[in-house]
Amino acid sequence: MTEKLQKTAITPATHTTPPAKFSHGVKKGNILQVAGQVGFGPAVPGQAPTPVGPTLREQTLQTLRNVQSVLEEGGASWEDAMMVRVYLTDTGHFAEFNEIYNEFFAGLKEAPAARTTVYVGLPAGLLVEIDALAVLG
């Protein structure tokens, strides 16, 4: 019988405690799942999280940085990402989102991962949410 792998919750210091019973990321063995991240700025004790700004650019860049923080806290990087899922609130944002996404990853030799984009409803003021699945090693 094989030993059961330990599951570890990942929460960077820059992130607030989630509003429900989940983690910003969870690692088990060499798999790291980053929960959906949004464009909230770094946590400020005693303050509710708020979007970094009203524009898709501001929120997308912060969201990507928030995903990256969870990846790094879990010992991974974008190069370890196998799947990225993008949730947009407006179909009209697709082209602009792709431009921002491509700029963010311009330094990588290849795309960070496979990607899926869907359209959803998010809490008021939020335009984008992103999650990622990484395999380490």
Side-chain angles (χ1 to χ4, degrees):
M1 189 174 210
T2 60
E3 181 181 328
K4 185 173 179 173
L5 297 173
Q6 182 71 22
K7 188 166 59 171
T8 305
I10 308 293
T11 301
T14 56
H15 287 51
T16 59
T17 301
K21 194 169 176 99
F22 67 88
S23 302
H24 286 287
V26 67
K27 184 176 177 182
K28 187 170 184 178
N30 67 339
I31 304 292
L32 172 61
Q33 175 64 57
V34 178
Q37 301 294 303
V38 295
F40 291 153
V44 176
Q47 291 185 7
T50 56
V52 293
T55 70
L56 182 65
R57 173 170 286 283
E58 291 168 306
Q59 289 190 29
T60 297
L61 291 173
Q62 185 63 47
T63 300
L64 289 165
R65 287 190 291 266
N66 289 345
V67 171
Q68 184 170 326
S69 292
V70 179
L71 287 169
E72 290 172 354
E73 186 76 17
S77 70
W78 284 112
E79 285 80 9
D80 298 307
M82 298 297 294
M83 182 66 188
V84 173
R85 284 173 292 268
V86 177
Y87 309 90
L88 296 173
T89 60
D90 186 336
T91 58
H93 288 161
F94 188 74
E96 181 183 0
F97 176 84
N98 280 337
E99 288 176 20
I100 299 163
Y101 189 87
N102 288 340
E103 288 171 22
F104 186 84
F105 292 112
L108 294 182
K109 292 180 183 178
E110 58 187 49
R115 191 182 105 190
T116 297
T117 303
V118 296
Y119 301 96
V120 299
L122 291 173
L126 293 173
L127 304 174
V128 60
E129 181 173 347
I130 300 172
D131 70 50
L133 175 69
V135 178
L136 290 78

